Amino acid sequence: MPRSEPIKAVRGVRDILPADLPVWRAAKSGAEDMARKFGYEEIITPILEKAELIERVGEDTDAVAKELYRFDDRGGRNLALRPEATAGVVRAYFEGLLNQGPQPSRLYLFGPMFRYDRPQKGRYRQFFQFNAEAIGSGAAGLDAEVVELAHSWLAAVGLGDLRLELNSIGDAKCRPAYLERLKAYYRPLKSQLHGDCQLRLEKNPLRLLDCKVPQCQPFKAGAPRVTDFLCDECSAHWAAVRRLLDAASIEYQHNPYLVRGLDYYTRTVFEFYPGGATGQQDALASGGRYDGLAEELGWPATPGVGFAGGLDRVTELMAAKGEDGAASPPADVLVLPDGDLAVEAAEVARICRAARAVAVDYEPKSLRAKMRSANKLGARWVVLLSVEDAARRVAQLRDMTSGDQTELAWDELPIHFV
RNA sequence: GUGGCUAUAGCUCAGUAGGCAGAGCACCAGAUUGUGGAUCUGGGUGUCGCGGGUUCAAGUCCCGCUAGCCACCCCA
């Protein structure tokens, strides 16, 4: 036994083990297939970004203010592990000159994100997202498109029973006036709000709307609704998005209190939840429009819209519904050498790999034990190699399903794996 | 960041009222003079998560820490 504590994984992160991967592959290929059907191209951006890139877009959000993995590298650069992908994708869109091609640029991305949260069911410090972003157009058609893409993906992986919540939070033109009305409404109530909300009142009043503390609930109903104060353009956009979703037969609920966690959203915001939702850690996908983001990062003002889907939660639900992909044995053929025949066994395996996935059992165990593990691994064939066989360059091929066993020359083996 | 529950063999867990550390599974070997699945038999030295404390005696009681699970918060 070890003298000291064995080294374990970092808190809040986890391994996705071979047995888990069939369902992960299904979730991922479903996403990828759907993104391609919608004309999206894959992009991979770094996990590391300048801390400033992240902080610029969400100073007031938990994900950035409290949960950011931030550190200085050896050169003194202030870096962060990305807590979300959109800022990095927008940065790459400009740096990669995608802004000079046909617009919009339709991009999708898979990768890990990092947030220093307290771990819990469906919430990890390293978690995996599928993102789709349409950058370079303000058309309402794209808002509906990314919603439909997310919806189609979830339906394709067996999670079609969904609740979609939708809202519009206006833009730089109309939101300031609305926020003044909201503050005016809440100021007289300030003493009755809970601590965080008293701070939010002046700093980030929109977040008063999605507060879940019981003592703040009674005041929501009387609060002005952002959708009642949209400017003409935002109002037309909001109507257009809803009309497009209706035409696509995608059901949604208007949630006037949905404001989203990140600061950069404008106009459309949405979240997908599983149908029979009871728990809290259950948002499967969410997103919205971010017309002010590019400018906030110092690039030319450029509209965009997109969403992020949580693969950890999607795979968990898929597994719970029995949607796990079929597990296949790692090798179809297992070579079981007798005694000290490692060189010969490796050669036989090499020959067999022309036709099948082949592994060799090099363990110094009894033949019986090797047969047992071959059986447990689910190998379809076993190639038995004795000293006498090896000298004649033959082997015994055993079909593990039928139990039939025949002697064959090494070179004859591949054509028998059918 | 806050709260509740938990931590004993590779895994899942028992361990009564403080008094010799257990079971099932898995794994290995044998029955079968080296050929899988069934059955039977044999095989356990584990800092009882880490550190302190109480006690003649602590897996068991107390404190701290770490980690896991769950909830709050927040979100994916």
Side-chain angles (χ1 to χ4, degrees):
Chain A
M1 280 322 307
R3 299 270 157 105
S4 58
E5 276 291 284
I7 297 172
K8 303 241 185 95
V10 169
R11 178 162 205 209
V13 311
R14 59 178 184 158
D15 305 301
I16 312 298
L17 300 169
D20 306 322
L21 273 154
V23 69
W24 276 77
R25 272 193 289 266
K28 220 176 140 174
S29 67
E32 185 153 34
D33 291 349
M34 202 55 68
R36 291 226 172 106
K37 281 187 186 175
F38 278 76
Y40 285 64
E41 293 181 291
E42 185 167 17
I43 184 170
I44 298 174
T45 69
I47 289 163
L48 281 174
E49 293 282 0
K50 287 182 181 167
E52 193 186 2
L53 176 88
I54 310 299
E55 286 161 349
R56 196 73 78 82
V57 302
E59 287 170 285
D60 293 332
T61 68
D62 283 3
V64 173
K66 303 194 317 209
E67 301 166 3
L68 192 63
Y69 274 92
R70 187 185 357 181
F71 61 96
D72 291 337
D73 73 4
R74 289 166 184 272
R77 283 170 281 259
N78 190 213
L79 305 181
L81 299 179
R82 62 184 181 192
E84 58 97 34
T86 304
V89 172
V90 168
R91 178 197 54 67
Y93 162 87
F94 289 105
E95 284 198 83
L97 306 181
L98 301 178
N99 59 332
Q100 298 184 28
Q103 301 299 306
S105 211
R106 289 181 166 93
L107 303 167
Y108 72 88
L109 171 145
F110 290 103
M113 309 296 156
F114 302 84
R115 292 183 198 175
Y116 193 85
D117 257 6
R118 187 96 172 246
Q120 168 182 346
K121 187 176 188 62
R123 191 172 77 185
Y124 307 94
R125 289 183 174 182
Q126 174 179 273
F127 57 101
F128 292 84
Q129 284 189 342
F130 163 57
N131 275 252
E133 314 284 351
I135 307 172
S137 166
L142 292 168
D143 300 52
E145 179 176 289
V146 297
V147 170
E148 185 173 355
L149 170 46
H151 184 273
S152 301
W153 164 48
L154 294 169
V157 296
L159 306 180
D161 181 20
L162 293 166
R163 188 177 87 244
L164 168 59
E165 298 191 357
L166 189 71
N167 196 20
S168 173
I169 57 172
D171 67 4
K173 196 155 64 174
C174 52
R175 192 159 43 193
Y178 166 71
L179 293 181
E180 285 310 316
R181 283 181 177 270
L182 190 62
K183 284 195 259 188
Y185 168 79
Y186 268 108
R187 271 193 199 109
L189 306 168
K190 183 169 179 179
S191 61
Q192 298 174 64
L193 300 173
H194 90 287
D196 274 0
C197 276
Q198 294 194 13
L199 295 173
R200 284 169 175 163
L201 177 50
E202 297 302 332
K203 212 177 164 195
N204 197 354
L206 215 48
R207 305 223 43 139
L208 290 166
L209 295 175
D210 72 348
C211 178
K212 280 131 197 141
V213 175
Q215 78 183 85
C216 301
Q217 300 311 304
F219 315 118
K220 279 190 189 176
R225 292 188 170 199
V226 61
T227 41
D228 292 333
F229 297 92
L230 299 176
C231 58
D232 291 345
E233 292 85 349
C234 284
S235 187
H237 191 92
W238 170 232
V241 170
R242 285 178 297 155
R243 197 165 56 242
L244 283 156
L245 291 177
D246 290 340
S249 301
I250 293 174
E251 289 183 25
Y252 61 86
Q253 298 168 12
H254 174 210
N255 176 357
Y257 308 121
L258 177 62
V259 300
R260 305 287 296 124
L262 294 159
D263 296 342
Y264 53 60
Y265 286 109
T266 55
R267 295 186 172 173
T268 312
V269 292
F270 60 90
E271 294 185 344
F272 280 97
Y273 293 90
T278 52
Q280 301 298 310
Q281 309 304 319
D282 57 358
L284 293 177
S286 62
R289 177 160 282 285
Y290 42 85
D291 291 345
L293 174 58
E295 199 171 12
E296 192 66 35
L297 299 177
W299 296 95
T302 305
V305 62
F307 78 92
L311 289 169
D312 301 81
R313 292 175 186 178
V314 166
T315 52
E316 197 169 299
L317 270 185
M318 288 171 72
K321 287 177 180 266
E323 294 276 337
D324 43 340
S328 56
D332 309 310
V333 181
L334 213 55
V335 180
L336 308 187
D338 180 17
D340 188 26
L341 291 172
V343 171
E344 292 80 358
E347 183 177 348
V348 169
R350 211 172 289 126
I351 291 166
C352 293
R353 283 188 191 111
R356 288 283 176 171
V358 185
V360 180
D361 189 338
Y362 293 107
E363 302 312 308
K365 297 186 299 192
S366 68
L367 180 55
R368 171 189 162 79
K370 290 180 191 175
M371 286 296 290
R372 278 169 55 98
S373 49
N375 186 54
K376 283 195 174 154
L377 284 169
R380 200 166 145 199
W381 294 277
V382 151
V383 176
L384 296 150
L385 195 61
S386 69
V387 175
E388 299 74 31
D389 288 344
R392 296 162 45 221
R393 293 182 68 83
V394 299
Q396 311 299 319
L397 173 64
R398 185 177 179 87
D399 183 319
M400 294 295 277
T401 309
S402 65
D404 296 340
Q405 190 169 315
T406 47
E407 181 173 299
L408 293 168
W410 292 357
D411 293 334
E412 301 291 314
L413 286 167
I415 61 171
H416 288 84
F417 300 136
V418 287

